[in-house]
Amino acid sequence: MNNAEPPVPRRRRRPSWAGRNYTLLTAAAIITNLGSHGALIAAAFAVLDAGGDGGDVGLVAAARTLPLVLFLLIGGAVADRLPRHHVMVAANALNCVSQAAFAALVIAGEPQLWQMMLLCGLGGVGQAFFGPAAEGMLMSSVSGEQVSRAFALYRMAMQGAGLGGAALGGLMVSALGPGWVLAVDAAAFALAGTLRMFLDVSHIPPRAPGGGLLADLRDGWREFIGRPWLWSIVAQFSVVVAVVGAAESVFGPLVARDELGGAGPWGLALGAFGAGTVGGAFLMMRWKPRRLLLAGTLCVFPLAAPSAALAVPLPVAGLAAVMFVSGVAIEVFGVSWMTAMHQEIPEEKLSRVAAYDWFGSIAMVPLATALAGPAESAFGRGPSLWGCALLVVLVTAAVLLVPDVRHLTRRTKEAGASVPSPGSGSASGPAPAGETSADDERSVGRLG
């Protein structure tokens, strides 16, 4: 008689939905976020250390964003035609080279404004091609009923890295100077690009030959404009991202320099925002609101608070608390938004639709950042920041008037479900205006 104990099955180290691609994408995102969040602080203080003012900081920020706006739609179409990981690696290589050159100029001493604008512009071009490809790659790497948890874990890892990168970046800028932080960011892009070379795209069906780049862009536009929830929220975020970006990339460093003590406290405030995003992602790993976009949109209102806190300005502890709350709120929106996109948009069009999403969301950022300095001169820093806060509240209230935003519901079973076409009236799509269920009301109750 054999009394041997049966072998104990080995415990899985990761859940079934966290496959090879998902793991590589998450690891690479952690690396790039560690570098890039510190680099954002470093770039602003590189301009200030070179003798620039708030207007110059805004110009450099606009120089980074303008090429991103110009090339995003092309980047989305390219990412749906070529292997997405090839596009991502090429974009990472461009970002690595541009940041390395920026670092060398700053370390060498007295970089010129036009040089910093040019190199930041090259970084924006890289991001224009990387963003849609990365979003499409991530969404195609997960499936099943746990997609929200997968997106939440990904964002929690990414934002946790941002938290460490912002805090460490602020301290490094104070201790070593901005040039070395930019050099670290260049190395991070090189390492992350190497990891992304090993992504597997064999599960993605080959794209059928189409009518060219313009035909792809038109197809993506029809997919985008045919969904009221999609274009209305993108229109909302064209304002939200612009004013929040101006407040945090231009006014934030200036308030930190004049009122809070410099780069270190501002890095801690950004770190508190990162901690909030980690907390929000952790929340979304457990909470699955049935009405995805209603829950997410309600959580956009707190994004007005950081601008108001800078307008006062609150002391560092108060500013950090406000940034933490806004971080939690934006993650509730972010996970809900990604889940809705994954649920509603066909896989072969993900990058193009993501490009229209990005394009609309950031189209006004160059204008807002470039005008931040003149607005401060014309109206004062405090009134300008209060104006930013008011705009966030107004456009968020307006988008709640769209029925699909209030009623688009989460599917309870995604396996085998087909993605509805715009306006198809599928039961898994948006509920008709005025129709709710008990589960819908419980979701809103948990949010409140």
Side-chain angles (χ1 to χ4, degrees), residues 32-296:
T32 50
N33 273 265
L34 279 170
S36 62
H37 279 70
L40 289 174
I41 302 172
F45 281 91
V47 176
L48 296 174
D49 290 350
D53 56 15
D56 293 331
V57 173
L59 287 173
V60 171
R64 181 188 304 112
T65 310
L66 182 59
L68 177 58
V69 173
L70 293 176
F71 288 97
L72 255 177
L73 298 183
I74 297 174
V78 168
D80 275 341
R81 295 178 70 88
L82 300 178
R84 288 173 178 147
H85 66 315
H86 289 173
V87 179
M88 295 165 69
V89 171
N92 283 168
L94 178 58
N95 285 128
C96 174
V97 171
S98 62
Q99 287 294 74
F102 195 174
L105 282 174
V106 174
I107 293 171
E110 298 190 13
Q112 300 298 308
L113 179 62
W114 70 268
Q115 294 172 324
M116 293 186 283
M117 292 177 65
L118 174 63
L119 292 170
C120 285
L122 289 175
V125 173
Q127 188 64 27
F129 284 86
F130 175 84
E135 189 161 338
M137 193 73 197
L138 175 65
M139 290 188 181
S140 69
S141 70
V142 295
S143 61
E145 295 187 22
Q146 298 299 322
V147 293
S148 290
R149 180 169 293 183
F151 294 146
L153 180 60
Y154 174 86
R155 291 177 66 95
M156 183 166 63
M158 183 177 66
Q159 303 293 8
L163 163 63
L168 183 61
L171 295 173
M172 287 181 64
V173 168
S174 298
L176 302 176
W180 293 106
V181 180
L182 294 168
V184 169
D185 189 35
F189 275 118
L191 180 56
T194 302
L195 289 178
R196 288 166 176 141
M197 291 175 64
F198 296 98
L199 291 168
D200 180 12
V201 295
S202 60
H203 66 289
I204 300 177
R207 310 301 179 200
L213 191 65
L214 289 178
D216 285 351
L217 290 173
R218 287 194 297 269
D219 193 27
W221 172 253
R222 285 192 294 268
E223 194 73 33
F224 173 80
I225 203 65
R227 302 175 187 271
W229 61 268
L230 182 58
W231 61 256
S232 63
I233 289 182
V234 170
Q236 169 203 12
F237 268 76
S238 68
V239 177
V240 171
V241 173
V243 298
V244 171
E248 295 188 1
S249 66
V250 179
F251 294 125
L254 294 173
V255 172
R257 183 192 64 182
D258 297 341
E259 306 286 346
L260 304 178
W266 181 235
L268 290 175
L270 294 177
F273 176 84
T277 62
V278 173
F282 186 78
L283 168 65
M284 294 304 288
M285 289 186 68
R286 287 154 176 77
W287 180 42
K288 296 181 179 180
R290 181 169 174 80
R291 286 196 283 185
L292 291 165
L293 298 181
L294 176 62

Side-chain angles (χ1 to χ4, degrees), residues 4-42:
E5 292 287 338
V8 178
R10 296 180 64 182
R11 186 177 181 181
R12 292 183 62 92
R13 293 187 176 182
R14 62 190 183 192
S16 59
W17 44 262
R20 180 171 177 270
N21 277 0
Y22 179 86
T23 303
L24 285 172
L25 288 166
T26 302
I30 290 171
I31 293 168
T32 50
N33 273 265
L34 279 170
S36 62
H37 279 70
L40 289 174
I41 302 172

